[in-house]
Amino acid sequence: MAAPFDLKNDGVVVIIGSGAGGGTLGNELAQKGIDVVILEAGARHEYQDFINDEWDSFAQLAWTDKRTTSGDWRVAKDFPNLPAWIVKAVGGSTTHWAGASLRFQEHEFKTLSTYGKLEGANLLDWPMTLAELEPYYAKAEDRLGVTLTNNIPGLPGNNNFKVMKAGADKLGYKECHTGRMAINSEPRDDRNACQQTGFCFQGCKWGAKWSTLYSEIPKGEATGHLEVRPNAMAININHDASGKVTGVVYADKDGRLREQKARIVAVAGNSIESPRLLLNSASSQFPDGLANSSGQVGKNYMRHTTGSVYGIFDKPVHMYRGTTMAGIIRDEARNDPSRGFVGGYELETLSLGLPFMAAFLNPGGWGRSFTTALDHYDHMAGMWIVGEDMPREENRITLHADIKDEHGMPVADVHFDDHSNDTAMRNHAYKQGSALYEAVGATRTLPTPPYPSTHNLGTNRMSEKAADGVVNKHGQAHDIKNLFVSDGSQFTTGGAENPTLTIVSLAIRQAEYIAGQMSAKSI
Amino acid sequence: MVTIYESKPVHETTPGLSRRELLKRGGVGALLVISGSAVISPEHAWGLETSALKPETMATLIQMARDIYPHDQVPDKYYAIAVKAHDEQAGKDPAHKDLIERGVADLDLKSGKDGYTGLGWEEQRVAVLRGIQDTPFFQAVRGGLVVGLYNQKQVWPIFGYEGESYSKGGYMARGFDDIEWL
Ligand SMILES: Cc1cc2nc3c(=O)[nH]c(=O)nc-3n(C[C@H](O)[C@H](O)[C@H](O)COP(=O)(O)OP(=O)(O)OC[C@H]3O[C@@H](n4cnc5c(N)ncnc54)[C@H](O)[C@@H]3O)c2cc1C
Ligand code: SF4
């Protein structure tokens, strides 16, 4: 049973956010017998309640509280108040996510050493190596039930994958398969097998896809050590004169402010909200915000170098049938500067339904060039580009000077400018993607601009030295021993891979560290 | 209230209807007719009643919607449904009513003596739209269409999109991998 903890209980670990990072950490700690309260801003919708309809699902799950944008990215013009497509609900963005679960490559933990100093990029090596994370990757893959690991068969290829595979073969790509997916190809861990419904982005109504909502959280609750408090929006983290954090002020479902006392606080609100909360928790002792002696809180915002390529064929494809992202080409993920950029990118199958395709294919576009593309919706195949983007200090989350949310908390402004390396990589990927589809007979290809960010990273980054970042290699704030960051905002750099497997691995590792520190009474 | 209603072809229900304005669409020969406070499609047996906007304005919006997102296989009715929200909003918000009425008046002015719908070719109308594409009026109409038009479940089959699939058991046994031409 879920354990309701008293607001004054100062022995609990308070986690802010119940997504990939927070939901995993909460269960891990609960399994170790540690009492945990997860404060989650969103409501709880069980998977049976998910909706096979893009806009209705978006209204049910997405984070639509106001945000603002600036910078040269197109999202700022097309979706000025929607910089990111992420979730506000129990389970966080693991309700919406597609399930692609990849490990980082070795060099991606050492970007400064590998790529060298790059003008306009704030590169830094992670304070950790691939070898250190490998055991946790293995645990995470088992936990998520990632296909093509742990003897789990791959998912069957859908139409969209078959087009990708045929093109990959023509182009001579060697590593193309149906992906390492946290989606059951056969029943496992009390989850169904995938029924090829094609609404992975809308929450899996079969529960075939891993999500903290129904995978981690109920297990944690069953221990009696985990309470998830939905509709609880954290606004401020309090601290005492010694500089230790002591509790979290949050607005409950009626908008009333409450304080949950805490022994330890872990922030896992995703890379826009986590720095927003730390910045908003500024005090006379920490005038620039909590954990911000380096000045790096909110900076180095990364969103992956993304984009999509759609190909139109003279015969039907029906790309929307079946698993949205079960298809990948990994050949371009290597670091090979001879291509004109450092780092690499993955190509993954992608499909949007007609309503989202209309909204995202060429936002603001109109006329026959636009509509004749949609006319062939059922003859389209699609892929998504996801590549490593450069951390830049200027790309950052700040508190808006004037605009506040319903609780009086300043909204987050998200500033982003592409680095020239990002642009070069994207253009290379557009060319490869188009060539791939043309090789199988596409009559038209559509290089499609990045959508609002689904991967948000880097805004409380890990660093060896306190001057270079916000947290150490355990996600523990350099400045405050009992304050942790447990989501993708810890990433020092972004890698070419979809981030969630790494977020989960870090959370499993962090739980071990926290438990160790607690029993040693050092926090 | 704006209602889209199915009606008998107009000549059967309203004999002697005074066609006070005929809106010709270039080349196609379909007609939208204004009758009282309604835009009526005699050929396709539907009508749209307006309450805040002039019916002529609504008819122009329907044409404009088609010119912005032209899909020749999509009947006017769905464009009418897509723009009717402007009538509802105009009823609640005088500023919106003003935006739309003035926008349409301006569009007519820029289109010459027979107004926007008097331009026979899509290309001619699109040229006028290009001239106003950065105005709040155009952006309001275009922006509303993205959801208003493409989120109508009735239009999805026209594009070959099958929508909800959970209740049918997904595509496991319904062709998720049925591609044959590769
Ligand atoms: C459509 C889509 C597809 C994706 N596909 C993939 C994929 O295939 N593979 C992959 O690796 N990743 C994918 N992702 C990304 C993945 O979902 C995220 O990387 C991951 O969920 C991030 O985990 P997180 O813990 O940082 O944040 P989230 O999972 O977003 O969780 C953060 C939670 O914190 C809550 N919160 C925020 N602020 C507060 C506050 N102040 N108080 C209380 N609660 C708060 C939010 O409501 C949210 O529930 C996808 C994302 C989307 C949207
Ligand atoms: S395709 Fe599979 S994983 Fe995706 S929503 Fe359907 S059943 Fe779930």
Side-chain angles (χ1 to χ4, degrees):
Chain A
M1 254 313 288
F5 291 104
D6 195 89
L7 288 173
K8 296 198 190 65
N9 183 338
D10 60 4
V12 297
V13 176
V14 174
I15 301 174
I16 294 146
S18 61
T24 304
L25 178 66
N27 180 30
E28 286 290 315
L29 292 174
Q31 297 298 333
K32 297 179 199 303
I34 296 168
D35 291 337
V36 178
V37 174
I38 296 184
L39 301 176
E40 168 52 58
R44 189 161 181 159
H45 306 279
E46 300 302 343
Y47 68 80
Q48 296 83 349
D49 304 329
F50 291 156
I51 311 168
N52 269 197
D53 180 294
E54 290 180 311
W55 284 117
D56 288 351
S57 170
F58 187 83
Q60 181 186 45
L61 298 172
W63 185 287
T64 51
D65 295 5
K66 187 161 192 156
R67 288 170 173 151
T68 60
T69 46
S70 53
D72 73 5
W73 55 330
R74 225 182 115 170
V75 168
K77 175 170 166 281
D78 298 327
F79 305 100
N81 298 120
L82 191 73
W85 171 14
I86 44 180
V87 172
K88 180 180 179 179
V90 174
S93 306
T94 67
T95 57
H96 261 351
W97 82 313
S101 301
L102 304 170
R103 296 185 183 196
F104 268 39
Q105 305 166 72
E106 192 171 4
H107 75 268
E108 288 168 334
F109 289 97
K110 299 184 285 202
T111 53
L112 182 58
S113 328
T114 312
Y115 307 156
K117 268 198 185 315
L118 240 69
E119 174 88 29
N122 195 18
L123 285 170
L124 186 70
D125 291 355
W126 287 59
M128 173 189 329
T129 60
L130 174 62
E132 275 178 87
L133 202 56
E134 264 167 351
Y136 300 94
Y137 271 138
K139 283 186 189 175
E141 284 166 347
D142 181 42
R143 179 69 61 81
L144 272 59
V146 178
T147 56
L148 303 180
T149 75
N150 296 288
N151 297 315
I152 303 170
L155 286 159
N158 68 352
N159 291 332
N160 203 19
F161 170 73
K162 288 182 170 180
V163 177
M164 169 181 269
K165 178 76 170 81
D169 290 346
K170 288 251 163 72
L171 259 54
Y173 282 142
K174 296 280 178 285
E175 204 181 337
C176 174
H177 51 73
T178 57
R180 293 173 186 269
M181 304 297 293
I183 294 178
N184 276 353
S185 52
E186 50 191 30
R188 187 178 192 271
D189 195 25
D190 288 336
R191 285 189 278 126
N192 285 316
C194 171
Q195 301 300 309
Q196 303 288 339
T197 309
F199 283 90
C200 308
F201 285 170
Q202 282 65 45
C204 178
K205 277 182 82 70
W206 302 95
K209 178 183 81 178
W210 177 87
S211 167
T212 53
L213 171 66
Y214 43 84
S215 311
E216 303 303 311
I217 288 167
K219 287 183 186 144
E221 287 171 332
T223 66
H225 293 291
L226 171 63
E227 177 192 348
V228 177
R229 219 170 278 167
N231 306 302
M233 170 76 189
I235 287 178
N236 199 76
I237 301 173
N238 288 338
H239 65 81
D240 62 17
S242 77
K244 270 178 25 184
V245 295
T246 53
V248 179
V249 177
Y250 68 95
D252 72 8
K253 64 178 189 332
D254 306 314
R256 273 189 306 193
L257 294 188
R258 309 202 167 255
E259 186 192 13
Q260 173 66 54
K261 291 286 182 195
R263 175 169 170 186
I264 292 171
V265 173
V267 183
N270 208 325
S271 294
I272 298 176
E273 292 308 311
S274 289
R276 178 186 178 210
L277 180 61
L278 293 179
L279 293 171
N280 196 53
S281 301
S283 63
S284 52
Q285 196 174 337
F286 299 113
D288 299 323
L290 289 189
N292 199 18
S293 65
S294 64
Q296 294 291 315
V297 170
K299 292 185 180 167
N300 311 304
Y301 171 68
M302 294 172 287
R303 59 182 308 258
H304 274 143
T305 293
T306 67
S308 317
V309 180
Y310 294 94
I312 297 177
F313 298 85
D314 58 347
K315 299 190 193 71
V317 177
H318 300 287
M319 66 175 173
Y320 56 86
R321 293 183 186 168
T323 327
T324 307
M325 203 168 262
I328 191 168
I329 296 167
R330 305 210 60 187
D331 297 62
E332 301 285 2
R334 70 194 192 280
N335 175 41
D336 171 8
S338 75
R339 290 172 298 179
F341 53 88
V342 298
Y345 61 87
E346 315 274 352
L347 296 172
E348 300 171 351
T349 56
L350 175 75
S351 154
L352 299 179
L354 185 76
F356 273 16
M357 189 61 89
F360 295 124
L361 179 62
N362 180 17
W366 60 279
R368 286 209 178 249
S369 153
F370 180 82
T371 55
T372 51
L374 288 183
D375 283 341
H376 304 292
Y377 175 77
D378 55 355
H379 285 51
M380 271 183 193
M383 69 170 82
W384 196 50
I385 301 157
V386 47
E388 178 164 27
D389 61 341
M390 291 298 112
R392 291 164 54 82
E393 284 211 333
E394 300 77 7
N395 291 348
R396 62 189 290 201
I397 312 303
T398 50
L399 298 178
H400 198 283
D402 313 309
I403 305 175
K404 295 191 163 60
D405 71 9
E406 56 179 318
H407 309 300
M409 184 176 178
V411 306
D413 181 76
V414 183
H415 181 95
F416 190 88
D417 302 314
D418 272 323
H419 189 276
S420 55
N421 195 75
D422 307 346
T423 311
M425 179 188 289
R426 183 179 299 113
N427 288 338
H428 188 271
Y430 279 153
K431 252 177 53 196
Q432 291 307 110
S434 300
L436 184 145
Y437 284 142
E438 281 156 12
V440 262
T443 53
R444 187 174 169 190
T445 55
L446 312 161
T448 299
Y451 310 129
S453 318
T454 53
H455 299 173
N456 298 270
L457 303 167
T459 50
N460 295 304
R461 72 177 183 181
M462 277 189 185
S463 63
E464 186 73 54
K465 295 192 203 120
D468 294 334
V470 180
V471 297
N472 67 17
K473 66 177 179 178
H474 298 289
Q476 182 178 32
H478 286 302
D479 301 347
I480 302 174
K481 268 170 91 171
N482 67 338
L483 177 64
F484 288 79
V485 174
S486 317
D487 59 15
S489 67
Q490 304 170 76
F491 283 28
T492 310
T493 49
E497 292 74 22
N498 315 54
T500 306
L501 184 74
T502 303
I503 295 174
V504 171
S505 305
L506 291 173
I508 296 174
R509 183 168 177 271
Q510 184 178 69
E512 270 183 26
Y513 178 78
I514 290 177
Q517 296 285 303
M518 283 175 81
S519 49
K521 303 259 186 299
S522 30
I523 43 177
Chain B
M1 258 305 286
V2 184
T3 45
I4 292 272
Y5 53 86
E6 305 286 339
S7 69
K8 296 255 170 60
V10 170
H11 49 86
E12 289 174 24
T13 52
T14 40
L17 171 81
S18 73
R19 296 188 167 187
R20 78 179 143 92
E21 194 179 335
L22 290 186
L23 299 147
K24 293 194 176 63
R25 212 154 17 72
V28 187
L31 296 169
L32 291 181
V33 180
I34 305 297
S35 165
S37 65
V39 182
I40 292 168
S41 166
E43 311 300 321
H44 297 103
W46 58 265
L48 184 154
E49 238 170 63
T50 66
S51 58
L53 297 173
K54 289 189 274 189
E56 291 84 354
T57 299
M58 198 49 100
T60 303
L61 285 180
I62 295 169
Q63 181 64 61
M64 187 181 162
R66 179 178 286 287
D67 293 334
I68 293 174
Y69 291 124
H71 294 287
D72 299 335
Q73 73 281 33
V74 174
D76 271 343
K77 178 178 169 177
Y78 300 114
Y79 288 99
I81 293 172
V83 295
K84 78 186 172 105
H86 291 293
D87 187 63
E88 283 156 20
Q89 209 185 328
K92 289 182 222 143
D93 177 6
H96 191 75
K97 181 172 174 178
D98 202 48
L99 178 79
I100 300 294
E101 290 290 5
R102 277 171 191 258
V104 167
D106 175 61
L107 191 64
D108 280 334
L109 198 71
K110 289 191 163 69
S111 303
K113 73 174 175 15
D114 293 329
Y116 182 74
T117 56
L119 294 171
W121 283 90
E122 180 184 307
E123 267 166 64
Q124 297 173 299
R125 295 189 301 272
V126 163
V128 180
L129 293 180
R130 291 258 173 246
I132 63 155
Q133 66 178 339
D134 294 325
T135 62
F137 163 66
F138 181 88
Q139 285 307 329
V141 175
R142 190 203 59 74
L145 283 170
V146 175
V147 176
L149 179 62
Y150 296 107
N151 203 33
Q152 290 179 53
K153 291 191 172 59
Q154 294 79 0
V155 312
W156 293 350
I158 302 174
F159 293 90
Y161 178 54
E162 296 170 88
E164 192 277 334
S165 86
Y166 172 76
S167 68
K168 299 169 195 142
Y171 290 101
M172 199 66 164
R174 296 191 309 125
F176 79 98
D177 62 349
D178 65 357
I179 198 161
E180 275 169 3
W181 52 265
L182 279 167

